[in-house]
Amino acid sequence: MNWRRVFLVVLLVGGFWFVTTHLPQGLSRLGSLSNVSGDKSPLALTEAHAAPNYDSEEQNNIAVYKKALPSVVNITSKSMTVNFFYGQVPQEGQGSGFILDKAGHILTNFHVIADANKIEVMTSDKRTYKATIVGSDKVHDLALLQINAPNLQPVTLSDSSDLIVGQKVYAIGNPFGLNGTMTRGIISSIRSIRGPEGAPIEDAIQTDAAINPGNSGGPLLNSRGEVIGINTLIATGGAEQSSGIGFAIPVNTAKAALGDLTKYGRVRRPSLGIVSLAINPDLADQMGLAVESGVLVQRVVPGGAADRAGIHGGNQQAYLGNMPILLGGDLIVEIDGTEINNTTDITAVMARHQPGDAVTVTVFRGRKRLTLKLALTEGREVST
């Protein structure tokens, strides 16, 4: 009986020795089983074995961003304003812009730097430079700045005359001060709008790419990373943030202004040299005019284009509501074959010309239709 107990003890000891020295995996299994009784299970993660492959759309997004980002800058404008107690307090605004050349010329919106007494530009490498104003165009909300900085990377300017609704666009800027933010969308429409100063912007680019405060002055890009517009306005509905309706000045408008901005510090605009009144069918009927619409010449500016061409102003005092007007002047109905219904139509025609250009103006003088040639003069008026 005793030898059986001894044999059992030897067998148990030998088995324990064999398991502990020859079966470590078995012990680990026993250990894992012990977790079931209360210990937490080890965390098991599934990880990718290689870097992800980007699809063609992602690759294009990344390529546009990498190409354009080094050319986009953050603009900080500082000015002084008067508070409630008539004391001067500093005011700071932010916007975006983009580098045009290695000489440091930067294009942005006029409203970004309006009334500023100090302008700073931060490039994509986080370096800050003092900027000077080379020229400004308040009417079309454009401003040309310049900084002295090395190794600048200019943008590539595209042609905005052949844009199509539905094509993909990208906006890069500093919305709410968040530097280097890119958003994407499409061209929603191409339409004429009123700029911040009330002047018309012809062929403005409407987009659903998110544009927010701070994006102003930044580039709107095509899928090749080329600039097609300058982001300028958002329709907010009072929310002060993007509602999916943003507008950009077409880059061709900016191109046309850059020469004058660089040379004169302003844009020289052609003018007919008239004070005018838009006519609708009701007014035409009341005034007994020959046609239902056009622009009535109330007064010609002495020495201006209209005056030199013999266009007549009004000579009969009248009132439109409480506003005094002059009747009896020529009614402009066409310029270079373009139908003229209001002063916005005249502004659109003037935007295609320079001072000194010759145009053909068709007017009604009473019931008689006349065609006159005139040379446009430089004017400071916004409209005509």
Side-chain angles (χ1 to χ4, degrees):
M1 193 73 179
N2 289 335
W3 65 268
R4 289 181 180 178
R5 292 179 180 172
V6 171
F7 178 76
L8 260 176
V9 171
V10 170
L11 184 62
L12 288 172
V13 171
F16 180 77
W17 172 82
F18 181 79
V19 168
T20 55
T21 57
H22 291 78
L23 296 176
Q25 293 180 350
L27 281 179
S28 66
R29 291 193 191 98
L30 290 174
S32 65
L33 287 174
S34 68
N35 289 333
V36 177
S37 63
D39 294 341
K40 292 183 179 179
S41 300
L43 180 63
L45 301 176
T46 302
E47 298 187 46
H49 295 292
N53 292 322
Y54 302 109
D55 63 29
S56 58
E57 188 173 10
E58 290 173 321
Q59 290 174 6
N60 191 73
N61 295 343
I62 294 167
V64 168
Y65 187 72
K66 287 184 176 180
K67 178 179 180 179
L69 181 64
S71 305
V72 180
V73 300
N74 181 31
I75 299 173
T76 302
S77 62
K78 299 179 181 180
S79 59
M80 300 298 292
T81 187
V82 179
N83 65 10
F84 180 77
F85 300 101
Y86 299 98
Q88 288 195 333
V89 294
Q91 189 174 33
E92 186 172 289
Q94 281 198 329
S96 305
F98 51 91
I99 299 166
L100 293 175
D101 57 19
K102 290 186 176 296
H105 289 102
I106 293 169
L107 191 62
T108 187
N109 285 145
F110 173 80
H111 76 260
V112 171
I113 55 90
D115 303 319
N117 50 33
K118 183 179 181 182
I119 303 171
E120 291 182 340
V121 168
M122 185 172 70
T123 52
S124 62
D125 59 3
K126 309 302 180 185
R127 297 180 183 274
T128 301
Y129 303 91
K130 181 181 177 181
T132 57
I133 300 176
V134 176
S136 61
D137 179 9
K138 187 176 181 180
V139 172
H140 285 118
D141 196 25
L142 296 171
L144 184 64
L145 311 180
Q146 189 169 18
I147 60 174
N148 183 13
N151 305 319
L152 295 176
Q153 182 172 321
V155 295
T156 301
L157 302 180
S158 185
D159 181 0
S160 59
S161 63
D162 57 354
L163 301 177
I164 299 174
V165 172
Q167 77 177 79
K168 194 182 302 179
V169 292
Y170 302 82
I172 299 182
N174 307 288
F176 301 112
L178 301 173
N179 298 346
T181 297
M182 182 173 80
T183 54
R184 188 188 69 170
I186 62 169
I187 294 178
S188 305
S189 180
I190 297 174
R191 65 176 77 244
S192 295
I193 62 169
R194 292 281 178 179
E197 297 297 320
I201 298 175
E202 300 298 324
D203 299 324
I205 306 166
Q206 180 182 330
T207 179
D208 64 350
I211 297 174
N212 287 288
N215 274 117
S216 291
L220 189 69
L221 308 154
N222 60 20
S223 57
R224 297 182 298 277
E226 302 163 345
V227 178
I228 59 172
I230 301 94
N231 299 317
T232 187
L233 287 173
I234 54 175
T236 65
E240 293 303 322
Q241 60 188 11
S242 175
S243 60
I245 301 177
F247 295 96
I249 302 165
V251 73
N252 284 7
T253 298
K255 287 180 185 178
L258 285 175
D260 279 357
L261 289 176
T262 304
K263 188 173 182 179
Y264 304 106
R266 58 182 174 82
V267 175
R268 299 186 309 143
R269 286 198 166 75
S271 173
L272 293 176
I274 62 174
V275 176
S276 59
L277 174 68
I279 299 298
N280 57 36
D282 288 340
L283 286 176
D285 184 59
Q286 293 175 36
M287 297 176 183
L289 300 177
V291 291
E292 292 186 339
S293 62
V295 170
L296 183 66
V297 180
Q298 297 192 74
R299 183 168 58 86
V300 295
V301 177
D307 184 32
R308 294 176 183 177
I311 290 177
H312 292 182
N315 54 14
Q316 303 170 29
Q317 183 77 46
Y319 284 88
L320 183 60
N322 293 324
M323 181 178 71
I325 60 173
L326 287 172
L327 305 180
D330 292 342
L331 181 69
I332 298 175
V333 292
E334 282 186 10
I335 300 178
D336 278 349
T338 299
E339 185 177 340
I340 302 298
N341 294 307
N342 49 51
T343 55
T344 300
D345 292 337
I346 294 181
T347 302
V349 173
M350 294 298 101
R352 300 194 292 266
H353 290 280
Q354 297 290 330
D357 288 354
V359 297
T360 300
V361 180
T362 302
V363 303
F364 273 92
R365 184 169 293 165
R367 297 283 169 176
K368 188 176 181 181
R369 185 182 175 102
L370 302 173
T371 299
L372 304 169
K373 292 266 189 184
L374 59 81
L376 297 173
T377 53
E378 182 180 352
R380 302 300 175 89
E381 304 96 334
V382 170
S383 57
T384 59

